[in-house]
Amino acid sequence: MSVDTTEIDRIMDPDVVAVVGASTDETKRGYQAIETLQEGGYDGEIYPVNPHADEIRGLRAYPTVSAIPERVDLALIVTPAEVVPSVLEDCEGTDLAGAVVVAVGFGEMGEEGQSLEDEIVSLAREQGIRLIGPNTSGMINVHRGLNLVGTDTVPEGSLALLCQSGNMAISLFTEAATRDGVGFSHYVGVGNEADLQFHEYLPYLDADPETEVIVCYVEGLSNGRAFLQQAREVVTETPVVVLKSGRSVVGKRSASSHTGSLAGDAAVTDSVLEQAGVVSVDRSDELLNVANALASLPRPDGLNVGVLADGGGHATLAADALAERGLSVPRLSESTQARLRESLPDAASVVNPVDVAGGTDEDQSVFVDCAAAILADHNVDALLLTGLFGGYGIRFAEQYTDVEVEAATALANLEADYEKPIVVQSAYEGFDTAPHAVLRERGVPVLESLDVASATLAAVSTYGARARALAESSDFRLAHDPAPDPADGSISEGRSQLSELESKRALAASGLPVTPFEFATSPDEAISAAADFDGPVALKIVTPDIVHKSDAGGVALDVDPDRAGDVYDDLIAAVRAFDPTASLDGVLVSPMRETGVELIIGVVDDPQFGPVVMCGLGGVFVEILEDVAFRALPLTEADARAMLDDIDAQELLDGARGEPPVDRDAVVDLLIDVSRFVEAHPSVSELDLNPVFADATGVEIIDAAITVAGEERQSSDIVSVPSPGDSDD
């Protein structure tokens, strides 16, 4: 998508700043903000705005922004919340590009605060002013000395931070200040995202020569789909790393379908961010490490990692940690193993992981020989050095420190020579040793946690592959692109559940492979319908009021056609006993099918990202197994194949116990058809196909449930729309 960066350029890199609410009181932020700008080396013009002062810190004060004699790029507004509207009203005709609204008391405080927030956004738009915040800690352009936060612990570097928590930002600044080679180019506290949203900063930061990686701490995205669209455009040049909070099961919204109940915040967020080429991390201690590694390390060509360890425990744990992150620890070639044996004792393991078995205890330069051999192997894309490296001078003898310093220099040279990333995990990382300093100065990460080291390598290893895959993945642009409402956390109100009959009719009308069915409203009609099929049949109650019909006794399988009438009566009685108020339309009669592999395919309208499709193992255990994958609509063929690859139970898809493999092409086609169906019918808020039988001959939808937005919606609203196959004409 295209974002106009003219105003954002002036906001992020202003030449003229006004401090509205400037104060002569040294304890007030309106004084401290000016002091920070002056002492931090900001080279632009600073204008204090205070109607009751003539001068503040040697600068002439002005009563209003409109009284300032030159065009102002950015205003820092440090007044109370209730004063902000009058400040914005005064800015009419000033050509002010943006304002940072620090005050709390807006949308985060409830209905009254939201009303005030809506007012300032409306006023700002009338004046052509873009807002950062409100409820923000401010912003910083580190290289310009533009510090509108006030903290003095922000080291200079190449990471741009977009953050929705002031405390989290301070934590990251503090963490970076204690480590060599980690620093920031920009910081924006996005606050409530009342106006400027996460995605709108990305083009500026992508073009910024001082920024190499964009780091985001996200509590909630006001426009998640726009973020996906914009991130997809920038990540090929500038990696984007996201830590999303609110990942636990308590963050799930209520939903009637299997798809909705499985669409937890973390499951959807991680999947769609990956689809957009974004690197998603799980923990706060991974965020800066991953971002810094992406800024400093070469991009590997694949996911194969060589492990070099000075102990069997570290070797085994490293292999486990890497495997959990989706990386491979391949067997080294015979020539590499022979080369390693020349440097290591007989007890060493040279297969991969490589355990030196004491071979480095007295000569740490052996690490370099082994690393060179591993990096030269065509099966290896990256190297993890794990154990005690950098601490031999502490653990054994002080003279080893000089040897390790030389080894550290040689390791950094190897990384440059082979253009393959090296990550070092050391138990002595916290001792700030000279060998570790050498590695960090050369851009080689040194980490204490094996989990974080593995996460870092995984991020660097997968980033390149994801970026390369973007050309064939979704652009996230829907034919009908609804504006998400972040305040609406549930779609339980104002929606209508279609019956299975209505749902199947709608799907069949669009050409999706629904199992044959006939509708019966009496025992005699059930007998007649069953006779039309060859062999046993399935009978299922038709009602829009009960989603999970088997729970209500509304499903009968393997029914002999001669008994269809009696079974019809039994189903009606069972469901009436379960829910006397349920509307009972009749019974669907379908031929029985061999089970094959049961899949679930569904769509849910995520409150942040809009419609997302799910695919995974289906049947009655779907919510127990939770072996599913998500992607945002619209799907491409590459997206659909990636979803199938994400399912853990690959052996079932490939044919377990002598069974033929599932026709993956047919599943991919169905996923794309489902995507087109929902895109063509924007009233669909949830869709649940469970089970879908898949085997070597194709796929067939056995059960279907569709939820449409709006209480008055009927199946005709979606059946009457042209089928997906006609939508491209």
Side-chain angles (χ1 to χ4, degrees), residues 16 49 69 167 188 191 204 211 282 394 421 456 493 535 561 582 600 620 654 689:
V16 181
V49 176
N167 282 350
V188 179
Y204 169 84
T211 297
D282 299 333
I394 299 172
T456 300
E493 297 180 0
I600 179 172
V620 296
D654 292 337
L689 311 180

Side-chain angles (χ1 to χ4, degrees), residues 332-340 377:
L332 299 175
S333 68
E334 293 299 328
S335 60
T336 301
Q337 293 184 44
R339 185 174 169 183
L340 289 167
D377 194 303

Side-chain angles (χ1 to χ4, degrees), residues 405-430:
V405 167
E406 293 182 6
T409 302
L411 286 170
N413 289 337
L414 287 176
E415 180 180 81
D417 292 342
Y418 286 99
E419 296 184 345
K420 295 180 180 181
I422 299 175
V423 171
V424 175
Q425 180 274 324
S426 175
Y428 289 91
E429 185 273 338

Side-chain angles (χ1 to χ4, degrees), residues 597-612:
V597 176
E598 294 188 42
L599 300 177
I600 179 172
I601 294 175
V603 175
V604 66
D605 192 9
D606 184 83
Q608 291 187 93
F609 300 106
V612 295

